[in-house]
Structure formats: C-alpha cells, structure tokens
Amino acid sequence: MALPPAVELRRRNRAALLEQLHRHGPQTRAALTEALELNRSTIGALATDLAESGHLQETTGQSTGSAGRPSTLVACVPQSITVAAVEIRADRLRFALVGLGGEVLERSETALEDGDDPVSAVAVITGGKAGDAVDAVAAMPGLVDEGTVAHSTELGWVDRDVAADLEAATGREWQVVDTATAAAVGEWSRGDAHEARKLLYLHGGRGLTAGLVIEGRSQRGGSIQLGHIVVEPGGRECACGLRGCLEAEMEAFVFAEDIENATLAAGMGDAAARDRLRRSGEDLGRALGAVVTATGPDEILFGGWLRELYLSTAAPVRSALAETTLPHLRSKLRLRTPVLGDEGALMGAAETGFAAVFDRMR
Ligand SMILES: [Zn+2]
C-alpha cells in the first residue's frame, strides 16, 4: 500500500538529511537548510526527530564568524548505522566496520595463504560483527554480476555464487562488488573524483579489472573484464582460454609481483625494461580505447600496480588511446591516479553499503 504523500516526503527528507551529513560531515542547521533546499522549520523538525531516534546529535562546534559565537553543529552518531566492508585479495583479507558519517569503528587484516578459502576467512575476520551491521559488502577482483563472480584471474574462480557462500559462512546477506567498482565508489565519495559523472577505475592485481560508476553509484554491468580484451589476435595464450588478452600480453602477474623493479630498471636506462614498459603502456592504451568507446567515461583512474605503470608510461598509454578512440570521447577525458590508494576499495565497499541503506530509507 502506498504511503500518504506527507509521510513519504518525510521519509525522503530524513534520508536526504542523513546522506548529506554522512557525505559532508557536521554542519549547522542553516547550512543544511541551504544544501537540502528545505525550510528552517522542516530541517528543525527532522533534526529533532533524528536526534530522538539516535541518528544525530547536536554539538557545539568551533566559533565561527566575526561575532565569535560558537555554532551548533548537527552531526551523525556513527554507531547508529554501521556497514561491514571486506576486501578480498588472493593473499590478503581486510575488514572495516564503518559508522554513519564515515568513521571507521573497527578494522582488521589477515594474510591468506594459497589454498585458504577467502570466503571462510570472512567469517573469522568479521567475528560476528558483520551480523549487527545494517548492510555488508564484499569487494573482490573479477567480473562480478549481482552476487556472482563470473570470472576472476586473481582468485581462480569461475561462476562462483559468492553472495550465497558468504551468507552460508556468516549467516547474513552480503552485496558483492568487484574491487575496481568499489574503488571507484570510494574515490568518488571519499576521494576527490566527485566531479566525474562517469568514472572508470582500472585495478591492477594479479589480473586486470575495471569498474564504471555513474554519479558515484555502481551499475549492473559496470564490472568490466579489462584484462581479457584481446589486444594481439593470435597472441599469447591466456588463462581464460583466449589468446592475446591484455593481461597475458602484459604478463600482468609478473608486474603485480614486481612493478617497482621494472620501473626502477627502466628509470636507470635498462633498454629492455623500458621497451617492455612502453609496449605494456601501448597495449593498455589500446584496450582502454575499446572500453572508452563502449562506455564514454569522463575520468579514468589507474589503481593497484597500474598506478606505477601509468606514471612511467603515460605518453604511450595516451597515444595508443588517441589512436583507438574518437576525438569527442577523449576531448574532456581526464586520466590520473587515485588519491585513496590501497584504501579506496575498502572504503568504497562501505559506501556501496551506505548507498543501499539510504535507498531503503527513501
Ligand atoms: Zn584472457
């Protein structure tokens, strides 16, 4: 049954107010009035209501303005809504319990050995804390569709229903996103990429993946198999069964172990190392040409070890991209490296959870 319009409006305004404070931090009622384009009495009623439900608190902040009068700030109560976030890699598992407003309330990390199942390890590292969280999100490298990892070079999974396995291991529901998409959400919401309407994040691990988010939100179909775009037809055999895939041609697993030495050797004038990096940059640029043509992003971030590769091969990446995309697609395209680094995917997993929480409140 549909809610009466006034009740529905109030729900939407509550969600908007919480989301505003979650994303932008403590603010005065006057600032909230302006940001949400609501009148003062509406903001006042919502703030009182949300303080009573334990989501908000009003605190006296630093004095502002010429009068030097301390202003009253409206702030989130972090413990009132928590999201459990995990990031799975082949050799490592990280967990964070993130509170409303973005504060990390708990965090832990564990190494994974070959043969360990990361999904079972999630139950151990979250230690039951995920059960109390309002949402739970796991990020992992691969092609992810809904809760299933269709293919992951790094984890060696094909068509694994990870959401079901995580639920069986922990007794609660999980959202599953790929690492690149999670990192894109993280950079958009907690980094400095919020200007990008279509943000493409490239993640270099043992395989290569990409994630496209629109206005900071993950999209179904936004998880992209960057590593298995064929850049050399009939080329090197890839673990996926095709030939000439980007990650096979670049030998991504070698760079994943040792990009530092490769770039160092090239920097010191090693001609073979330089040549290899340049060719890898060109291959990456060509694969990106296909992705850019298909998706039309306005910003591309190079994450994981692709950050180092891009920093040393920006020119060949750009020239190969220029040869494979239409001018109007690249005229406003920004290419750069992410600011959150290794934290992006974990923070983005948490933000993916908060986005779902706010959606359900509306
Ligand atoms: Zn492949």
Side-chain angles (χ1 to χ4, degrees):
M1 201 175 71
L3 292 167
V7 177
E8 203 175 309
L9 185 63
R10 197 168 171 83
R11 280 171 63 105
R12 274 212 302 274
N13 286 341
R14 276 170 61 104
L17 179 62
L18 280 184
E19 189 166 16
Q20 172 72 16
L21 290 170
H22 172 74
R23 286 203 49 216
H24 303 288
Q27 287 157 66
T28 60
R29 286 188 179 198
L32 287 168
T33 302
E34 198 178 317
L36 297 173
E37 296 177 343
L38 293 169
N39 63 46
R40 285 186 71 95
S41 63
T42 304
I43 290 291
L46 287 169
T48 304
D49 189 22
L50 285 163
E52 276 170 14
S53 64
H55 293 93
L56 299 187
Q57 56 196 345
E58 300 210 65
T59 59
T60 307
Q62 305 264 308
S63 58
T64 55
S66 53
R69 200 159 52 89
S71 59
T72 302
L73 294 175
V74 184
C76 297
V77 176
Q79 290 79 5
S80 65
I81 299 176
T82 59
V83 168
V86 301
E87 189 207 356
I88 294 173
R89 296 201 182 178
D91 59 354
R92 183 186 83 182
L93 177 62
R94 298 164 85 205
F95 162 68
L97 189 69
V98 179
L100 185 64
E103 189 184 329
V104 177
L105 301 171
E106 289 191 41
R107 142 196 311 272
S108 51
E109 179 169 340
T110 187
L112 296 174
E113 306 291 333
D114 281 350
D116 288 349
D117 182 25
V119 167
S120 325
V122 170
V124 177
I125 199 170
T126 58
K129 288 167 202 140
D132 300 330
V134 178
D135 211 299
V137 183
M140 58 204 70
L143 177 66
V144 176
D145 186 27
E146 299 285 278
T148 298
V149 174
H151 186 274
S152 170
T153 304
E154 175 155 340
L155 300 168
W157 295 347
V158 175
D159 284 332
R160 179 169 183 181
D161 188 345
V162 182
D165 292 349
L166 281 168
E167 187 170 350
T170 63
R172 67 151 303 142
E173 275 185 39
W174 287 79
Q175 291 191 64
V176 177
V177 289
D178 73 273
T179 303
T181 299
V185 172
E187 294 290 335
W188 191 89
S189 49
R190 297 288 173 200
D192 66 352
H194 50 270
E195 303 273 301
R197 201 182 87 73
K198 279 189 176 182
L199 175 66
L200 181 70
Y201 189 104
L202 315 178
H203 172 71
R206 290 189 194 170
L208 303 178
T209 56
L212 182 77
V213 302
I214 300 177
E215 308 283 3
R217 303 294 291 262
S218 63
Q219 311 288 316
R220 186 155 192 208
S223 176
I224 296 164
Q225 282 280 58
L226 178 68
H228 301 285
I229 292 174
V230 174
V231 291
E232 192 67 54
R236 291 173 201 231
E237 205 172 313
C238 180
C240 74
L242 296 173
R243 280 188 171 275
C245 290
L246 176 65
E247 66 186 42
E249 290 298 320
M250 286 172 98
E251 295 181 291
F253 56 95
V254 179
F255 275 141
E257 295 297 320
D258 207 10
I259 186 75
E260 283 80 13
N261 272 336
T263 51
L264 197 64
M268 287 169 68
D270 180 330
R274 266 191 191 173
D275 193 46
R276 179 159 180 251
L277 282 180
R278 181 186 50 75
R279 275 187 288 111
S280 296
E282 287 167 356
D283 284 343
L284 178 61
R286 272 193 287 275
L288 268 185
V291 179
V292 168
T293 300
T295 62
D298 41 31
E299 187 157 301
I300 300 178
L301 298 177
F302 295 78
W305 63 262
L306 289 178
R307 178 180 188 280
E308 275 66 44
L309 182 78
Y310 176 69
L311 289 175
S312 58
T313 62
V317 170
R318 285 173 179 272
S319 61
L321 183 60
E323 285 166 12
T324 50
T325 49
L326 294 169
H328 80 272
L329 284 174
R330 60 175 193 274
S331 61
K332 288 181 188 150
L333 179 61
R334 294 181 299 274
L335 272 60
R336 58 188 191 89
T337 56
V339 294
L340 299 179
D342 224 18
E343 279 288 284
L346 191 63
M347 293 304 102
E351 290 307 319
T352 302
F354 277 106
V357 171
F358 296 132
D359 278 354
R360 287 197 294 269
M361 287 176 129
R362 286 191 171 96

Short mmCIF file of all heavy atoms in Angstrom, two decimals, residues 228 238 240 245, ligand 1:
data_model
loop_
_atom_site.label_atom_id
_atom_site.label_comp_id
_atom_site.label_asym_id
_atom_site.label_seq_id
_atom_site.Cartn_x
_atom_site.Cartn_y
_atom_site.Cartn_z
N HIS A 228 40.85 -9.16 -20.20
CA HIS A 228 40.58 -10.14 -21.25
C HIS A 228 40.08 -9.48 -22.54
O HIS A 228 39.41 -10.11 -23.36
CB HIS A 228 39.63 -11.23 -20.74
CG HIS A 228 40.22 -11.93 -19.55
ND1 HIS A 228 41.24 -12.84 -19.67
CD2 HIS A 228 40.00 -11.76 -18.22
CE1 HIS A 228 41.60 -13.24 -18.44
NE2 HIS A 228 40.87 -12.59 -17.56
N CYS A 238 46.14 -17.15 -22.90
CA CYS A 238 45.71 -16.58 -21.62
C CYS A 238 45.06 -17.68 -20.78
O CYS A 238 44.51 -18.64 -21.33
CB CYS A 238 44.72 -15.45 -21.88
SG CYS A 238 44.08 -14.66 -20.40
N CYS A 240 42.37 -17.67 -19.46
CA CYS A 240 40.93 -17.74 -19.71
C CYS A 240 40.59 -18.62 -20.91
O CYS A 240 39.43 -18.93 -21.15
CB CYS A 240 40.36 -16.34 -19.92
SG CYS A 240 40.78 -15.63 -21.52
N CYS A 245 45.05 -11.80 -24.87
CA CYS A 245 44.37 -10.93 -23.91
C CYS A 245 45.37 -9.92 -23.33
O CYS A 245 46.56 -10.23 -23.19
CB CYS A 245 43.82 -11.72 -22.74
SG CYS A 245 42.44 -12.78 -23.16
ZN ZN B 1 42.08 -13.85 -21.16
#
